[in-house]
Amino acid sequence: MALWAGRFSKEVDETVNAFNSSISFDARMFAQDITGSIAHATMLGDCGIIEKSESEHIIEGLRGILADLESGKLVFDPNAEDIHMFVEAELTKRLGNTGKRLHTARSRNDQVALDIRLYLRDEIDEIARLVHKLAVTICDIAEQHKETILPGYTHLQRAQPITFAHHLLCYAQMLRRDLMRLVDTKERMNECPLGSGALAGTTYPIDRWQTAKLLGFDKPVDNSLDGVSDRDFCVELCCALSLIMTHLSRFSEEIILWCSWEFKFIELDDAYATGSSIMPQKKNPDVTELIRGKTGRVNGDLVTLLSMLKGLPLAYNKDMQEDKEAIFDAIDNVKLCVKTFIPMLSTMRVIKENMRKAAAKGFINATDCADYLVKKGMPFRDAYKITGTLVAKCIAEDLTLETLPIESYREMSELFADDVYDAINLENCVMQRNSYGGPSPKAVTDQLDELRYELEQAIGCFS
Ligand code: ARG
């Protein structure tokens, strides 16, 4: 018999029942649902809305349900409409009439809004810890490669010399911003919707500040309609998660390239690669490909949330039940991806020689050659043109700027002298790129120090 049987003359159609039900996916919020109910019952008792003894009885009953769900003694009823109805029904089963008082001055609309916030708040902490760990792992690898020369690319064409450390830290910077976005999201969502009621608050003398405080929120949501109809925090979190995935996906793509025979800059540990069912020689970077693929899925979750909210009139609408599967899916997949990514990175073998070999080809010191002339007084545009001509000559004669004879240099400009070879030496080129944020070992050391500090500051905002 449905809870609302008084109003209805028929049982709900079985298909509709199953269609309507969310317990298969909202059961995971059981602890948050019970925590919220305990705070609500405490407040009802303290405000004299129900007897203090009844409030205590209810709290004890709720604690019992929580313990039994955690131990597996109590299992979810798949026929319950949702986790909120299930817990309340179980409480009434255990306590009789007292259990029926719990829902005084509350609606499932503010209840579900509360549960999601509590659930996401906990998940954000865990995701933040994982993102932080990944960023620190990248910093640790970078520490080892401040002098490992790597060609930097634009348009996937070799461009200018950098170091592997500098390249890696670019990803760590993305993750630092991801972490700060999580700080922001958590801070903005930390307002308590409980007490918004169905949409219009309540006539009971409730204390919304008490429940907000008991549940660790900064304050109650200021508008009861907003309390039940806002899912911006789901969208914001999903945005942050989409960006995390975007960053992992870009990194994954580079790892896929780097472990191809065309690059061979790294080799993944056997534990983080897979073979082929037919080609005995294969070692495939499946993990990174799956991360790249799952990025589309998390973006899909974000679009689901935005589309679900678009055009919804105030306040609660059942459409909003669709929020959970989307945001839960995004959370689950991001956690899975980051957890797998960390050990995959820390076990990968960096093949410095191949990075150095790649850096030696492709004229990545051409800008430095032009800058050499500029430093001797030539305008940059002229120096650029002369260097371009020298590169063309090298290509025609199968030489590099390092092996081109000084006579050929001097034919183009009298400003060239023997010290040009020092100026275009790759190690020197990197060393001298000492501008703030640049790839020189000194600049990278400064970046790394600052970054490690900022990562520690950011993770301090989570519990
Ligand atoms: N299962 C519902 C959800 O996830 C709970 C709120 C139901 N409220 C209602 N008025 N039907 O959104």
Side-chain angles (χ1 to χ4, degrees):
M1 190 73 89
L3 209 105
W4 46 77
R7 165 73 177 77
F8 287 65
S9 56
K10 264 189 194 169
E11 282 284 319
V12 178
D13 179 89
E14 234 175 76
T15 334
V16 172
N17 234 345
F19 183 65
N20 225 15
S21 170
S22 54
I23 190 140
S24 63
F25 51 85
D26 64 20
R28 65 158 86 187
M29 306 191 299
F30 74 91
Q32 288 76 15
D33 191 73
I34 293 173
T35 305
S37 288
I38 290 175
H40 182 64
T42 307
M43 182 277 292
L44 290 179
D46 288 354
C47 294
I49 298 168
I50 63 174
E51 294 292 330
K52 194 79 188 152
S53 59
E54 284 179 315
S55 154
E56 281 161 7
H57 204 183
I58 289 174
I59 292 167
E60 206 178 300
L62 288 167
R63 291 211 175 108
I65 294 175
L66 181 59
D68 291 349
L69 283 171
E70 278 169 345
S71 70
K73 211 164 125 192
L74 176 64
V75 291
F76 300 111
D77 173 8
N79 296 315
E81 190 182 315
D82 53 32
I83 185 63
H84 328 294
M85 302 280 235
F86 171 77
V87 172
E88 193 187 334
E90 181 62 28
L91 188 71
T92 305
K93 212 194 275 175
R94 295 184 181 202
L95 304 188
N97 279 341
T98 309
K100 296 185 195 162
R101 297 203 185 271
L102 170 64
H103 212 54
T104 313
R106 187 177 70 169
S107 156
R108 269 188 303 156
N109 297 350
D110 55 347
Q111 193 178 353
V112 70
L114 171 67
D115 291 4
I116 309 171
R117 285 187 197 235
L118 289 174
Y119 185 84
L120 297 187
R121 217 172 53 178
D122 292 344
E123 290 289 337
I124 289 178
D125 285 343
E126 192 183 338
I127 294 167
R129 280 193 296 274
L130 286 169
V131 170
H132 176 261
K133 189 166 177 207
L134 175 56
V136 169
T137 303
I138 295 173
C139 288
D140 291 345
I141 303 173
E143 192 84 60
Q144 313 297 313
H145 291 285
K146 288 183 193 165
E147 292 183 11
T148 304
I149 306 244
L150 174 84
Y153 294 79
T154 63
H155 313 270
L156 206 56
Q157 302 288 317
R158 292 174 198 169
Q160 289 180 340
I162 56 169
T163 64
F164 191 45
H166 193 52
H167 194 103
L168 286 175
L169 288 187
C170 181
Y171 285 106
Q173 295 287 358
M174 297 180 208
L175 294 167
R176 174 184 64 82
R177 291 194 296 274
D178 288 330
L179 208 50
M180 290 167 75
R181 251 185 295 276
L182 292 175
V183 173
D184 239 45
T185 307
K186 186 176 168 185
E187 195 180 298
R188 207 173 356 263
M189 71 182 271
N190 204 31
E191 296 181 0
C192 185
L194 190 62
S196 297
L199 74 161
T202 177
T203 54
Y204 294 99
I206 58 170
D207 182 353
R208 292 194 58 205
W209 288 91
Q210 186 190 358
T211 41
K213 198 162 163 244
L214 283 173
L215 294 165
F217 287 102
D218 298 329
K219 64 193 278 281
V221 172
D222 282 332
N223 179 308
S224 64
L225 289 170
D226 196 34
V228 291
S229 63
D230 172 32
R231 295 292 183 274
D232 292 358
F233 54 93
C234 295
V235 174
E236 280 194 55
L237 176 58
C238 205
C239 263
L241 297 179
S242 266
L243 270 170
I244 293 173
M245 289 303 295
T246 302
H247 300 149
L248 292 190
S249 181
R250 292 182 76 173
F251 204 167
S252 290
E253 172 64 18
E254 296 212 292
I255 290 172
I256 291 164
L257 288 171
W258 290 343
C259 57
S260 72
W261 281 107
E262 282 70 12
F263 283 79
K264 263 296 169 256
F265 287 177
I266 58 137
E267 184 171 355
L268 292 176
D269 190 85
D270 283 359
Y272 295 95
T274 46
S276 152
S277 64
I278 173 172
M279 296 168 280
Q281 84 284 12
K282 287 299 279 297
K283 181 167 174 182
N284 295 328
D286 283 28
V287 167
T288 40
E289 289 168 33
L290 203 48
I291 289 173
R292 201 174 51 183
K294 279 179 182 292
T295 304
R297 175 176 175 157
V298 174
N299 289 349
D301 293 326
L302 175 59
V303 173
T304 298
L305 289 168
L306 286 168
S307 318
M308 181 274 287
L309 282 177
K310 174 188 169 296
L312 273 194
L314 299 182
Y316 178 84
N317 299 271
K318 188 76 168 187
D319 315 43
M320 295 165 90
Q321 180 166 288
E322 292 287 314
D323 59 358
K324 282 171 278 304
E325 281 163 296
I327 192 68
F328 293 166
D329 182 76
I331 286 171
D332 293 348
N333 279 288
V334 166
K335 286 199 302 194
L336 214 59
C337 290
V338 182
K339 269 184 204 159
T340 320
F341 208 78
I342 295 171
M344 187 197 67
L345 268 192
S346 57
T347 55
M348 85 184 175
R349 186 167 69 89
V350 179
I351 311 174
K352 292 185 193 183
E353 315 81 74
N354 289 346
M355 293 181 178
R356 184 64 183 79
K357 267 187 228 154
K361 289 238 166 103
F363 304 99
I364 64 177
N365 46 4
T367 314
D368 301 88
C369 179
D371 288 342
Y372 169 89
L373 291 174
V374 171
K375 283 169 194 162
K376 296 214 165 178
M378 189 182 284
F380 178 76
R381 251 326 136 221
D382 296 336
Y384 169 96
K385 197 167 171 199
I386 287 175
T387 308
T389 313
L390 287 171
V391 167
K393 189 176 170 65
C394 286
I395 292 171
E397 296 175 15
D398 198 20
L399 293 170
T400 64
L401 287 173
E402 288 89 334
T403 53
L404 186 73
I406 190 66
E407 297 74 39
S408 304
Y409 276 104
R410 290 184 62 83
E411 266 168 35
M412 293 301 300
S413 166
E414 293 285 299
L415 292 175
F416 280 119
D418 275 340
D419 59 353
V420 67
Y421 296 105
D422 282 338
I424 60 164
N425 168 284
L426 287 185
E427 280 70 19
N428 290 341
C429 292
V430 168
M431 205 68 77
Q432 280 159 22
R433 292 182 177 275
N434 206 14
S435 50
Y436 185 88
S440 79
K442 158 93 178 61
V444 166
T445 301
D446 292 346
Q447 186 192 167
L448 200 46
D449 288 348
E450 178 69 16
L451 181 56
R452 283 191 194 278
Y453 173 77
E454 287 170 337
L455 288 173
E456 281 329 291
Q457 293 289 109
I459 198 63
C461 301
F462 299 94
S463 36

